[in-house]
Amino acid sequence: MKISLISVFPQLYDSFLGTSLMKRASEKGLIDVQASSFFSYVEPKERIDAPAFGPGAGMLLRPEVVQKAIEDHEGRRGKALRVFFSPHGKLLDQHLLTSLAERAQAAGHLMLIAGRYEGMDVRVEEHFADEIVSVGNCVLMGGDLPAMMLLEGLLRLVPGVVGKQESVTCDSFFGPFVDYPSYTEPLVWQGKEVPAIVRSGNHGAIEQWRQEQAVERSLAGHFAWTRSSELDARAMKVFKKLLPKHYMVLMHDEIDLGEDKVGTTSITSIDIHDGARSARTYGVEQFYLVTPLVDQQMIAKTLLDFWVKGAGVTYNPHRHDAVSRVRMSTSLCETIAAIEEREGVRPLVIATSAKSVEGVRSLDYYSQGEVWSQHRPVLLVFGTGKGLARSAFDQVDYVLGPVQGFSDFNHLSVRSAMAVVLDRWFGYNPKMIPGAKK
Ligand SMILES: C[S@@+](CC[C@H](N)C(=O)[O-])C[C@H]1O[C@@H](n2cnc3c(N)ncnc32)[C@H](O)[C@@H]1O
């Protein structure tokens, strides 16, 4: 593959290209790299940059200089897949690398154009770019490190560049999970021992351990990647096994009734149905209804009996399935104790609230890893009325921040809130990857 690098500082690539696998790929004839400076396309003392129009400081690479560089390389080496770099570009990930590797190999010529200063006149990207790539939500001084990053990632996918292709496709982000932990000699280092299973010689057991470790790591730090990936049946099975068990409870006691009053609210059938269906959809183990009032418990029991063992079983089997997960309880404290008895460990209790709550550790919808790496079941607590009273917040470990939209209205029904919170917390939401094999 021909590779053209165009940069303000092409000398930055000298040691990069002259070392290790890059050097070997050139020696083997797998890549043929030429780097040029933008300065080669202006007369001596002529500038390659010019100030941006409008207020504010900043110099931009001149469009006609970039054009000359591109036309020179393509004139000599043929039409290229042209990649520009900018923070506003497509975020680089394994899917984008795979797509670029395929397109670059098909073109036979990959051109990487590294910006510098405040970037480029936007018309150049609009006119020439086949892809604009960002390497992260941050700003660097120039596009050369992004170009090197892209090359390291892309060339690993070109047959022959990395020794064993198998070691490439087993790496992080080739599937829904990151890589498992690896160990080498010595057996004990800094008091930490290599796990016995890794040295057991039992390939089946090692394989299973590795897969579980990969899932654990992904749950702790890369759930955003996992939830956006397509999970096959095997991956889904191990993921479900290792995801901590989730429970939820809808409180009709310890409720803020306004004007400094705390008390109970009434059970509603629609909350029970919708909560149960959301719970079933997201894989919640049990959905508790808390009310200390005997007559309210009787109303709920009549409804539950209909769906769990009455005519509802055949009338609507799906509803029966969902409602069968509902449990009655007289208090939050009793609910926590029931889950502890079932799981053998106290759940981490996470309250939800439409307002911020003083004195309780707050979580956002990006902190699942912090919770899940504690390897404990999770209980999500939902309030009714004007929300949970202080006495309820005093029993929880965390409070999840309010669900918000880009509006000034903050009055979701608890039914909607339950569904939105479950989805934000652990909804599965695979991305459609263009060209991915189904
Ligand atoms: C200082 S940056 C320009 C920043 C630009 N004004 C902005 O705020 O988006 C100069 C050059 O560095 C490169 N660069 C900086 N950060 C990058 C990133 N996150 N991904 C890809 N390229 C980046 C680009 O080539 C960019 O044109």
Side-chain angles (χ1 to χ4, degrees), residues 333-344:
C333 176
E334 183 187 301
T335 307
I336 296 170
I339 297 168
E340 179 168 356
E341 191 175 339
R342 190 170 193 249
E343 296 287 342

Side-chain angles (χ1 to χ4, degrees), residues 251-328:
M251 297 290 293
H252 301 87
D253 190 24
E254 299 189 76
I255 293 300
D256 175 4
L257 301 176
E259 296 170 352
D260 286 337
K261 289 194 202 122
V262 173
T264 58
T265 49
S266 296
I267 274 175
T268 65
S269 65
I270 193 170
D271 286 351
I272 301 177
H273 281 276
D274 287 4
R277 291 164 77 176
S278 295
R280 180 71 180 89
T281 302
Y282 289 89
V284 171
E285 296 288 306
Q286 292 177 337
F287 170 37
Y288 283 85
L289 295 176
V290 161
T291 176
L293 305 178
V294 175
D295 57 346
Q296 288 284 302
Q297 290 167 5
M298 284 168 63
I299 295 169
K301 185 170 182 313
T302 308
L303 185 146
L304 296 181
D305 282 352
F306 175 83
W307 288 104
V308 176
K309 54 188 180 195
V313 177
T314 47
Y315 175 69
N316 185 337
H318 292 303
R319 194 69 62 87
H320 158 73
D321 181 0
V323 176
S324 298
R325 298 197 170 204
V326 179
R327 298 288 179 276
M328 297 297 300

Side-chain angles (χ1 to χ4, degrees), residues 144-203:
D144 299 290
L145 285 176
M148 291 183 210
M149 253 179 88
L150 187 138
L151 272 183
E152 287 225 339
L154 188 149
L155 290 176
R156 298 183 83 232
L157 307 176
V158 172
V161 173
V162 173
K164 283 190 187 149
Q165 205 57 26
E166 171 210 322
S167 67
V168 169
T169 50
C170 292
D171 279 332
S172 297
F173 306 119
F174 268 85
F177 308 122
V178 291
D179 202 3
Y180 52 79
S182 300
Y183 298 86
T184 183
E185 293 171 348
L187 283 185
V188 181
W189 179 79
Q190 300 283 330
K192 292 170 186 284
E193 197 171 343
V194 176
I197 182 119
V198 179
R199 296 177 280 129
S200 68
N202 180 339
H203 286 206

Side-chain angles (χ1 to χ4, degrees), residues 48-294:
I48 58 169
D49 56 347
F53 284 121
M59 302 296 280
L60 299 176
L61 286 163
R62 300 176 67 94
E64 68 276 29
V65 179
V66 184
Q67 177 181 2
K68 274 190 195 158
I70 292 172
E71 287 175 355
D72 170 47
H73 276 258
E74 289 198 344
R76 290 184 287 108
R77 314 186 81 199
K79 171 97 179 69
L81 176 76
R82 305 169 189 142
V83 179
F84 287 66
F85 298 92
S86 173
H88 77 82
K90 237 184 236 174
L91 219 43
L92 189 63
D93 67 8
Q94 201 59 47
H95 297 304
L96 182 54
L97 273 179
T98 304
S99 147
L100 288 170
E102 284 167 8
R103 289 153 66 195
Q105 285 175 97
H109 183 189
L110 171 66
M111 184 181 293
L112 305 180
I113 301 124
R116 210 151 261 273
Y117 318 127
E118 272 314 306
M120 302 208 180
D121 184 309
V122 68
R123 292 170 296 178
V124 186
E125 291 173 353
E126 286 168 1
H127 186 74
F128 284 115
D130 292 312
E131 204 67 82
I132 306 172
V133 172
S134 166
V135 294
N137 295 331
C138 56
V139 177
L140 312 178
M141 293 183 199
D144 299 290
L145 285 176
M148 291 183 210
M149 253 179 88
L150 187 138
L151 272 183
E152 287 225 339
L154 188 149
L155 290 176
R156 298 183 83 232
L157 307 176
V158 172
V161 173
V162 173
K164 283 190 187 149
Q165 205 57 26
E166 171 210 322
S167 67
V168 169
T169 50
C170 292
D171 279 332
S172 297
F173 306 119
F174 268 85
F177 308 122
V178 291
D179 202 3
Y180 52 79
S182 300
Y183 298 86
T184 183
E185 293 171 348
L187 283 185
V188 181
W189 179 79
Q190 300 283 330
K192 292 170 186 284
E193 197 171 343
V194 176
I197 182 119
V198 179
R199 296 177 280 129
S200 68
N202 180 339
H203 286 206
I206 294 173
E207 185 50 43
Q208 187 181 344
W209 179 87
R210 284 178 167 176
Q211 185 161 41
E212 293 188 357
Q213 290 292 313
V215 175
E216 294 275 8
R217 277 182 159 185
S218 307
L219 281 170
H222 292 278
F223 181 58
W225 175 263
T226 300
R227 78 183 336 181
S228 68
S229 304
E230 212 50 81
L231 270 69
D232 62 19
R234 183 164 171 248
M236 188 62 93
K237 192 168 163 210
V238 56
F239 178 80
K240 281 188 187 163
K241 178 177 156 195
L242 296 171
L243 176 71
K245 299 263 188 302
H246 282 69
Y247 293 82
M248 64 187 220
V249 57
L250 182 59
M251 297 290 293
H252 301 87
D253 190 24
E254 299 189 76
I255 293 300
D256 175 4
L257 301 176
E259 296 170 352
D260 286 337
K261 289 194 202 122
V262 173
T264 58
T265 49
S266 296
I267 274 175
T268 65
S269 65
I270 193 170
D271 286 351
I272 301 177
H273 281 276
D274 287 4
R277 291 164 77 176
S278 295
R280 180 71 180 89
T281 302
Y282 289 89
V284 171
E285 296 288 306
Q286 292 177 337
F287 170 37
Y288 283 85
L289 295 176
V290 161
T291 176
L293 305 178
V294 175

Side-chain angles (χ1 to χ4, degrees), residues 36-49:
S36 297
S37 164
F38 285 113
F39 287 105
S40 312
Y41 301 98
V42 290
E43 298 300 322
K45 295 203 180 145
E46 202 186 338
R47 295 195 66 96
I48 58 169
D49 56 347

